Structure formats: C-alpha cells, structure tokens
Amino acid sequence: MTSHSTKKHSKTLWAILIATASMNTPVHAENTGKSILDQQCVSCHTLSLTTPQTVEQLWESKGPDLSSAGVKYKSEWMTNWLQKPVRIRPAGNFYANHIKTGEKSDVIDKATLVDHPKLSSNDAKLVVDELMTLKHNQQLVKQGDYQPGTISMTLGEMMFDKFKGCLACHQIEPGYGGLSGPEVYTAANRLQEDYLISFLRNPQAWEPKNIMPNKNLKEIDLQKLVHYLRALSKEDFK
Ligand code: HEC
Ligand code: HEC
C-alpha cells in the first residue's frame, strides 16, 4: 500500500516538473545574421582580423578567417554554398593536418575531415548580409583593378603550371594538381575579381604567414591569371 502511493506521488511530481519545465522554455528570439554567427560560426572562424604570429598558429585555426568576407567573397556564391557546402580545400583547412604518407605519394586522410555545417536558405541570407559588412583589409583592394579580358585555356594552363609553378599547390580540375592550397577551378565563382588581383599581387599582405609564395607577378600577368581563373570556373567538370 505504502509503496503504491509513493509511486503515484512521484508520477504526479514528474508531471508537475515536466509541465513547469516546458512552461519555462524561453520563446526563441528571432535569429539575426549576427546571432547566428556568434552561436554557430565563431568556434571555427575569426570575424575580426587576427594576425597569427607563426605558421603553427595559422594552421591551428579551424576555418578560414572571415574578417574580410565583404571584400573577398561573392555574396551569391556564399549564400548557395552555406546551404550546400562542398569541400574547397581538398585536404582540409590546413593540409598538413590531414595528409598521411601513402605508398607512392602523400594521400589525404579523409577520416580526419569533417563536413561543414549547413544553413537554411533564410539563415544563409541573414548570415551573408552580415558577413558582407566585414571589410578588413579593404584598403588593399582597388575597385576596378581587374579589367575583364580573355586568355586561351592552353596559354592559361601553361602560365599556371610551367611558367609560374602554381599547379604544385592547386588543383585546376578535380583530382589534378597540388593539394596544399584551395582548388582554383571554382575560385572565380567564389572570389571577387578585384580581390583575386590584390591577393595574387601580394599574398602576404593578406596573411603574413601564408605559405603561398609571392611570385612578384607583373601587372599584365596578374590580369592574365585572373582571366584564366574565370575561364576555369566556367568549365563543367561533372
Ligand atoms: C567545425 C568548424 C566550422 C564551423 C562551426 C563553421 N565553419 Fe565555415 N568553414 C570551416 C572550414 C574548415 C572551412 C574550409 C572548407 C573547405 O575548404 O572545404 C570553412 C569555410 C567557410 C566558408 C568559405 C570560406 C573560404 O575561404 O573558403 C564560409 C563562407 C564559411 N565557412 C562560413 C561559415 C558560417 C557562416 C558558419 C556558421 C553558420 C560556419 N562557417 C561554421 C569550418 C567551420
Ligand atoms: C607553395 C604552395 C603554393 C603555390 C606555389 C601557389 N599557391 Fe596559391 N595558395 C596556396 C595556399 C596555401 C593558399 C591559401 C591561402 C589562404 O587561405 O590564405 C593559396 C591561395 C590561393 C588563391 C585564393 C584561393 C581561395 O580560395 O582563397 C588563389 C587564387 C591562388 N592561391 C592562386 C595561385 C596562383 C595563380 C599561383 C601561381 C602564381 C599560386 N597560387 C601558387 C598555396 C600556393
């Protein structure tokens, strides 16, 4: 008898507890771009310019620095990518953390790579509006620096590979090219042309510890390389 009533009692208590708990659940405040960034993104991305002092510090970061997003990325690309992220750096944010020695050459240790978080289309738009206001280093970008033009794929590839040695670190199609840098066959879809010119002119002005060498490219070659990156981005590799 006693034990039965205790059970009954505790059941009622649970019911009260559950009811109170759900009553106290706060109503979700409307998401803003800033609140989403603060809650879901800053664990991996910095939003205010930080300058790593050593290569090791740079490589410890869990994602690219987004403090220059507004002068760097194309907003339409970002909005789409955040809803359906696909890998850009074949070997993760910093390749050295995800490469293992294979039999013939180094291979990517896929097990150590994680998928990027996905956003709803509404959240992606809110976040992108906020990211486009972040403009660190904007003094390095000159509007209209890139002058649209064309280059043949053959000449473009010769420059990228033989003349300037870029292929050693970058893929120009899926599975073809180096692994330590981001794939470049989508670079012109992702990145603003004036940013590309500025970055190629002096990668270390953007990130002093960046391993991409400054090749002291002539202005005319900067333009040609961006013509080539744009042409590559129009190829259909699927
Ligand atoms: C677990 C860590 C992590 C979290 C959390 C994260 N990211 Fe990322 N993000 C990365 C990594 C790593 C990359 C590089 C992906 C690649 O190269 O394939 C990346 C790439 C990006 C890029 C493309 C940048 C570039 O230069 O390639 C954008 C834009 C971006 N993230 C935005 C966001 C936003 C917005 C959020 C929050 C909703 C977020 N990320 C949350 C790790 C993260
Ligand atoms: C030693 C390896 C190396 C070489 C050689 C190299 N790069 Fe890079 N490149 C990188 C790395 C690593 C990054 C990523 C830097 C960063 O995120 O700040 C990068 C970034 C880039 C980007 C920006 C891509 C993005 O998604 O943010 C472009 C474009 C680019 N490189 C083009 C070139 C061109 C053109 C050449 C030849 C003139 C070249 N690279 C030579 C390693 C290299």
Side-chain angles (χ1 to χ4, degrees), residues 1-181:
M1 180 67 200
T2 354
S3 84
H4 186 230
S5 75
T6 325
K7 252 193 200 154
K8 211 171 163 189
H9 210 100
S10 62
K11 255 193 193 160
T12 331
L13 226 142
W14 270 115
I16 295 169
L17 278 177
I18 291 166
T20 340
S22 55
M23 253 160 53
N24 285 347
T25 310
V27 182
H28 261 292
E30 273 297 303
N31 273 344
T32 63
K34 177 133 187 4
S35 72
I36 300 168
L37 282 173
D38 287 345
Q39 285 158 20
Q40 302 176 37
C41 317
V42 294
S43 56
C44 296
H45 294 283
T46 53
L47 304 176
S48 53
L49 195 62
T50 51
T51 311
Q53 301 300 314
T54 62
V55 179
E56 288 74 22
Q57 278 175 9
L58 176 64
W59 287 17
E60 270 161 18
S61 59
K62 295 200 192 113
D65 183 334
L66 297 178
S67 67
S68 304
V71 288
K72 187 167 173 182
Y73 303 110
K74 292 187 174 169
S75 59
E76 200 190 331
W77 168 78
M78 257 202 297
T79 313
N80 292 329
W81 187 83
L82 287 169
Q83 295 169 65
K84 279 192 213 160
V86 285
R87 202 163 296 291
I88 300 164
R89 292 158 187 78
N93 195 38
F94 288 110
Y95 72 99
N97 301 338
H98 303 283
I99 295 265
K100 55 183 180 185
T101 318
E103 265 175 37
K104 287 195 186 126
S105 59
D106 287 352
V107 290
I108 299 167
D109 189 358
K110 289 230 166 82
T112 64
L113 295 173
V114 291
D115 289 338
H116 197 271
K118 258 188 201 138
L119 293 181
S120 68
S121 84
N122 197 41
D123 284 1
K125 282 185 195 122
L126 290 172
V127 159
V128 168
D129 282 348
E130 185 67 28
L131 284 174
M132 292 308 285
T133 67
L134 306 180
K135 297 189 172 182
H136 276 291
N137 278 335
Q138 66 175 326
Q139 75 285 357
L140 297 175
V141 182
K142 278 186 232 118
Q143 291 297 317
D145 220 359
Y146 173 67
Q147 287 135 32
T150 53
I151 189 170
S152 80
M153 288 307 271
T154 320
L155 187 58
E157 190 174 329
M158 258 161 75
M159 274 192 78
F160 197 84
D161 180 6
K162 304 258 161 16
F163 303 162
K164 306 296 177 198
C166 319
L167 191 67
C169 299
H170 293 286
Q171 296 197 342
I172 53 171
E173 61 177 72
Y176 182 56
L179 300 177
S180 48

Side-chain angles (χ1 to χ4, degrees), residues 160 165-166 169-170 180-182 190-191 196 199-200 210-213:
F160 197 84
C166 319
C169 299
H170 293 286
S180 48
R190 293 185 276 116
L191 302 163
L196 282 168
F199 179 79
L200 295 178
N210 190 353
I211 61 157
M212 172 152 154

